[in-house]
Amino acid sequence: MTRAVSTAARWRRFGLSAVSMAVLGVVFLVPFAFVVLAAVKTRQEASLLQLTWPTEWRIAQNFLEVLSARDYLLIIAFTNSVILTVSAVAISVILAALAAFVLQRRPSRWNPLINMLVLSGLIIPPAVVPTIWVLDGIGLFRTMLGLILVEVAFGVSFCILLFRAFLITVPRELDEAAVLDGAGPLRLFFRVILPLLRPVIITVVVVQSVTIYNDFVNPLYFLPGEQNATVQLTLFNFNSQYSNQYNLLFMDILLIMIPPLVMFLFFSRQIVAGMTSGAVKG
Amino acid sequence: MTTTFEPATSREGPAPRPPGRIRSGVRAGARYPYWFYLPAAVVYLVLFIVPTVVSFFFSLTRWRLIDWEFIGFENFVMFFREAALVTGLVNTLIYGVLTSAAKVVLGLLLAVLLTSNIVGRDFLRSMVFFPVLVSTVGVGLTFEALMDPFGGVINNALEAVGLPGPGWLTNPSYALLSVALVDIWKGVGLATVIYIAGIVSIPREYFEAARVDGASAWDNFRYIILPLARPATTTVIILSLIGGLRSFDLIWTMTGGGPGFTSDVIASVIYKQYQAGFYGLSTAGNVVLFVVVTAIVVPLFWWLNRKEAEL
C-alpha cells in the first residue's frame, strides 16, 4: 500500500494525526480525566466541578468512605451485580447455544417463524408492567432469580444470532462422525459442538457481561429495594442522597467503570467482533 | 445496547447439504431434537412474548394489577391529548432520528479517519470506542456535572473563547438536545467500529484500480467507500434507531424528563405512569412505543436491505 511517500504527503499525515489526536483527545478523554480527578479531591474542591489538578490527594479516604457509605451498600451492590451478571450470562450461553444448534442444523417449515421470533426479540421494546404481572404470577417479582431470567429472556435473541452465524463454520461431518461413534444428541452437543464454539462463547460472554452489568432499567423495574440494589441503581440513588459530595460520587463512578475497562483491556477484539458482526456482507 | 443484524433470514450460509436433507425425519430428529429449543423457548415466551401479547389487552383497561376494568381506547386518547404525553411522543422521534443520523455521519467520518494511515490509530480507535462500554448512568452523571450552567467545565471553556454557554440541561429548549449530544458521544464509537469493519472488508484491488485511474481521495470516498460500506450503514441506522427510540437511562439520569416534561420521551412516560400507579396508561405507553419502533424500523430494514440487494 505504501510506496515512496513524498515529503508533502508525510507532513500532511503528521498534521492530520496531530489534529485528530488533539480533537479526539479533548472530546473523549477529558470527561474521563474529569471523573478521575474529581474522585481524588476533597469534598470542597470537588464541588467546584473544575478540571483542575487536586491540591490535596484523598484517594484512600474517598475510596473507604464510598465503600462504607450506607453500611457498605456498595459491596452488597457489587455482589448483587456479580451474581446477576454471571448467572444470566451462563444461562444465556447454554440456552442460546442449544437453540441455535437445532435452528442452524435442522431446517424445517418452522424456521421462518422461529427466525421471526428471534428477530422480534431485538426490535420490540419489552412491555414493563405486563412483565411485572407475569413475574408476580409465578412468584418471581422482586427476586434475583426473576431478574436473572428477565435478562436471559431479553438477551437470548442476540446470543442465538451470534451462535447461529458461527455454527455455519462448524462442519456437519463432525456431527455425522460423532453419531456414527454412537453419540446421542446431548453428547454430540456438549462433547463435540460446544467446545468448538469457544471463540463465539467468549464473544457472547464478554458482550453480554458488559451489557447486563451496565443495565439500569431492568433492575429498576424488576428488583426494587435497597438491599437488592445493583451497582447502577446505587449509583443513581447515590446521586440523590449525597448530592453535594461530588468527590464520593465520582469515586463511585470510577469504581463502577473499572470492570468494563478490564474487560476491554483483555477482550477488545472479541467485543468489537461481537458488536460488529452484522456489518460485513457474506 | 448491543444487537446484531443478519440482514434477512435467508443468510443461512452454505445451503444445507443434500445428504442431511435426504436423511431427514427420524435421523435428523435423533441428532437435532426439537426439545433443545425448549429451555430457551420457555424463558423467552413466558417473560417476553406473553407480556408483549397481553400488553395489547391491558392497554385498554384501567389496571391495578389485582383487578382491571375495561375502558376501551381511553388510555390512547389520553396519550394523544395530554400535552405532557404528546411531548414524549414527539421527543422520542426527534431523539431517535437525531442520534441515529449523527451516528451515521460521525461514525462514517471517524471510520474513514481511523482506517487511514494516521499515527496512533489503534489507540484512537480504543479511545472512541471505550464510552460504549461504560455505565450509562455514570456517563449521564458525569456530563450533568460537565454541563453545569454555573462554572461547569464546558461553559468555562466556551467562556474562555468568548462564547456564552447555554443552560444545557436547565433550558427547556436545549435539554433534550443536550442529552442527545451525550448519547451521540457515548454511542458513536459503536457506529465507528461497525463502519471500520465494513471499510476494511472492501477488497484492496478497488483502491489500487482507482489509483491507476488517478482517483482523488474524495473519489475513493464517494465511489468506493460510500457504496460498499452500505451494509454497515444499514446496521448503524437500524441499531441506533432501535436504541434511540427506546432510550431511557440517559434521559432519566440527566434530566428526569425535565425541566417540566420538556425532555420526556415515551420510555420515561412509561416509567412515570408506572410509578404513579397508572398501570393501564403505562402499558398503553408501551404499546405506543411498540408501534412507533416497529412502524419505523421494520419497513426501513426491509427497504434498506432491498436497496442493498439491487446493488
Side-chain angles (χ1 to χ4, degrees), chain A residues 125-130, chain B residues 55 266 270 281-291:
Chain A
V128 178
V129 189
Chain B
S55 71
I266 299 178
I270 293 172
L281 190 57
S282 170
T283 305
N286 254 123
V287 171
V288 172
L289 186 58
F290 170 88
V291 171

Side-chain angles (χ1 to χ4, degrees), chain B:
Chain B
M1 168 175 108
T2 67
T3 32
T4 298
F5 274 88
E6 296 292 317
T9 44
S10 58
R11 280 183 56 201
E12 297 278 85
R17 267 157 229 165
R21 271 274 164 80
I22 294 163
R23 289 189 246 143
S24 64
V26 190
R27 302 285 298 268
R31 234 179 280 175
Y32 315 120
Y34 280 132
W35 68 260
F36 274 20
Y37 282 127
L38 196 65
V42 168
V43 176
Y44 188 67
L45 290 177
V46 171
L47 292 177
F48 183 72
I49 299 295
V50 168
T52 303
V53 173
V54 300
S55 71
F56 287 92
F57 171 73
F58 283 119
S59 67
L60 303 173
T61 66
R62 187 171 292 126
W63 190 18
R64 281 176 298 261
L65 283 186
I66 31 171
D67 60 355
W68 48 268
E69 180 194 336
F70 191 80
I71 55 168
F73 286 94
E74 219 171 275
N75 288 326
F76 292 99
V77 171
M78 185 108 123
F79 229 95
F80 291 100
R81 204 171 277 163
E82 195 85 17
L85 306 185
V86 176
T87 311
L89 186 63
V90 175
N91 281 350
T92 304
L93 296 175
I94 296 176
Y95 191 89
V97 171
L98 201 69
T99 51
S100 179
K103 284 173 191 173
V104 168
V105 174
L106 294 174
L108 180 57
L109 291 179
L110 281 171
V112 171
L113 177 72
L114 297 177
T115 47
S116 68
N117 61 343
I118 60 169
V119 183
R121 196 173 68 177
D122 290 344
F123 177 71
L124 289 174
R125 281 186 190 181
S126 307
M127 203 165 78
V128 171
F129 181 70
F130 185 61
V132 173
L133 303 178
V134 168
S135 144
T136 311
V137 179
V139 167
L141 295 176
T142 305
F143 272 89
E144 210 184 329
L146 291 172
M147 287 175 164
D148 193 285
F150 309 108
V153 171
I154 295 179
N155 278 6
N156 274 0
L158 288 176
E159 212 171 282
V161 293
L163 291 169
W168 297 94
L169 300 168
T170 48
N171 182 331
S173 343
Y174 295 135
L176 184 76
L177 300 180
S178 306
V179 180
L181 207 62
V182 178
D183 188 307
I184 296 162
W185 178 86
K186 187 180 186 316
V188 73
L190 183 59
T192 307
V193 294
I194 291 173
Y195 270 118
I196 289 177
I199 291 174
V200 298
S201 73
I202 298 173
R204 286 287 120 206
E205 295 83 57
Y206 292 153
F207 295 104
E208 302 281 342
R211 196 178 33 228
V212 172
D213 291 344
S216 66
W218 167 252
D219 292 334
N220 275 346
F221 176 76
R222 173 67 189 80
Y223 297 105
I224 301 179
I225 293 178
L226 208 52
L228 290 177
R230 238 204 113 92
T233 306
T234 306
T235 310
V236 171
I237 292 179
I238 297 293
L239 282 188
S240 41
L241 261 185
I242 293 175
L245 295 171
R246 288 159 59 156
S247 179
F248 171 74
D249 352 17
L250 197 62
I251 293 168
W252 193 247
T253 312
M254 293 186 73
T255 67
F261 46 80
T262 49
S263 65
D264 258 328
V265 290
I266 299 178
S268 67
V269 169
I270 293 172
Y271 184 65
K272 284 180 175 173
Q273 301 306 333
Y274 160 72
Q275 271 189 317
F278 298 125
Y279 299 133
L281 190 57
S282 170
T283 305
N286 254 123
V287 171
V288 172
L289 186 58
F290 170 88
V291 171
V292 167
V293 173
T294 45
I296 294 177
V297 170
V298 173
L300 191 67
F301 184 50
W302 178 78
W303 182 72
L304 288 169
N305 273 326
R306 202 191 48 161
K307 297 235 355 195
E308 214 167 83
E310 279 168 11
L311 279 169

Side-chain angles (χ1 to χ4, degrees), chain A residues 13 50 106 117 175 214 232, chain B residues 32 44 117 133 135 151 156:
Chain A
R13 178 181 164 215
Q50 297 305 304
R106 187 174 176 184
L117 281 173
D175 307 5
N214 281 335
Q232 309 299 333
Chain B
Y32 315 120
Y44 188 67
N117 61 343
L133 303 178
S135 144
N156 274 0

Side-chain angles (χ1 to χ4, degrees), chain A residues 77 80-81 84-85 132 135 141-144 146-148 150-151 154 211-226 228-234 237, chain B residues 137 248-249 271 274:
Chain A
N80 285 337
S81 279
L84 170 67
T85 308
I132 292 177
L135 281 173
F141 183 48
R142 291 172 192 275
T143 65
M144 181 54 93
L147 182 59
I148 291 170
V150 164
E151 296 285 7
F154 295 172
T211 310
I212 295 173
Y213 173 83
N214 281 335
D215 185 23
F216 168 67
V217 185
N218 295 322
L220 180 73
Y221 277 122
F222 306 120
L223 193 60
E226 275 279 273
N228 291 324
T230 63
V231 285
Q232 309 299 333
L233 279 182
T234 53
N237 294 332
Chain B
V137 179
F248 171 74
D249 352 17
Y271 184 65
Y274 160 72

Side-chain angles (χ1 to χ4, degrees), chain A residues 105 171-183 188 192, chain B residues 17 19-20 23 27 31-32:
Chain A
R105 286 296 204 257
R172 273 160 186 270
E173 283 77 7
L174 289 173
D175 307 5
E176 274 153 39
V179 171
L180 284 180
D181 286 348
L188 165 64
V192 180
Chain B
R17 267 157 229 165
R23 289 189 246 143
R27 302 285 298 268
R31 234 179 280 175
Y32 315 120

